[in-house]
């Protein structure tokens, strides 16, 4: 398992081994649990952070995520830009996470979002893309838009 933490400027990370997680499946329910704790000085309301987790694949534990970049607007956290290589092709995804009084716009992408959670994959493998709106709100990417209830559109 990998953890990508964007903006590690003033955070302290401590790793420990916790007792076994009894709710895990065999053989993990009897093994110690690797754990880490992140501490940030100052008010988390002003500088929140989140973590992107990726499980490793195969014996070497190789994943697909290459980088994670925090998105912000007007000094407030808005989500992540996640860059990966999947099946030999580059993939970029935008995971947008806003508070109720926020809006996010990116003129370079022709993207605007108002709501709590959305994911944009401008172009994935094979030239296809997708736009997902969670909860409620509205998102517009170029000529595509979604609003209201949770929805997914692919192209």
């Amino acid at each position: 398992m990998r953890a990508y933490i964007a903006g590690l400027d003033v955070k302290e990370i401590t790793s420990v081994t916790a007792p076994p997680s009894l709710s895990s499946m065999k053989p993990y329910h009897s093994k110690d649990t690797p754990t880490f704790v992140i501490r940030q000085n100052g008010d988390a309301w002003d500088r929140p952070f989140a973590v992107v987790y990726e499980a490793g694949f195969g014996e070497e534990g190789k994943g697909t995520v290459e980088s994670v970049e925090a998105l912000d607007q007007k000094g407030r956290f808005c989500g992540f830009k996640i860059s990966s290589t999947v099946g030999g092709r580059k993939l970029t995804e935008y995971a947008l996470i806003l508070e109720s009084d926020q809006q996010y716009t990116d003129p370079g992408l022709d993207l605007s979002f108002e709501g709590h959670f959305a994911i944009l994959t401008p172009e994935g493998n094979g030239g296809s893309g997708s736009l997902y709106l969670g909860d409620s709100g509205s998102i517009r990417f170029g000529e595509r838009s979604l609003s209201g209830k949770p929805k997914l559109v692919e192209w």
Side-chain angles (χ1 to χ4, degrees):
M1 177 72 73
R2 288 179 187 76
Y4 295 86
I5 310 164
L8 273 178
D9 50 339
V10 194
K11 296 173 183 55
E12 298 171 8
I13 300 177
T14 302
S15 62
V16 298
T17 302
S21 176
L22 301 178
S23 61
S24 305
M25 299 177 71
K26 289 182 180 183
Y28 302 105
H29 72 281
S30 61
K31 293 185 177 188
D32 289 342
T33 305
T35 305
F36 67 92
V37 177
I38 302 172
R39 180 177 183 272
Q40 169 178 284
N41 292 320
D43 193 350
W45 292 109
D46 295 331
R47 291 188 0 238
F49 65 93
V51 180
V52 173
Y53 292 97
E54 179 185 38
F57 300 104
E59 289 183 27
E60 296 178 18
K62 291 185 178 180
T64 61
V65 174
E66 294 178 349
S67 68
V68 175
E69 176 184 332
L71 300 174
D72 70 60
Q73 199 147 67
K74 298 179 183 176
R76 293 179 70 187
F77 177 80
C78 295
F80 296 108
K81 175 183 177 183
I82 304 165
S83 300
S84 306
T85 298
V86 179
R89 297 183 141 192
K90 298 287 184 186
L91 178 68
T92 302
E93 296 177 291
Y94 297 85
L96 304 171
I97 309 161
L98 304 182
E99 296 293 323
S100 60
D101 64 337
Q102 280 183 281
Q103 293 182 343
Y104 181 78
T105 58
D106 184 331
L109 281 174
D110 196 12
L111 170 67
S112 64
F113 172 56
E114 184 175 333
H116 177 64
F117 182 72
I119 297 176
L120 165 64
T121 307
E123 185 174 309
N125 290 337
S128 61
S130 64
L131 190 60
Y132 172 77
L133 176 65
D135 294 336
S136 60
S138 63
I139 187 168
R140 183 189 55 75
F141 172 63
E143 296 180 11
R144 297 173 173 87
S145 64
L146 297 173
S147 63
K149 297 178 182 179
K151 295 178 187 163
L152 170 68
V153 63
E154 298 176 308
W155 60 88

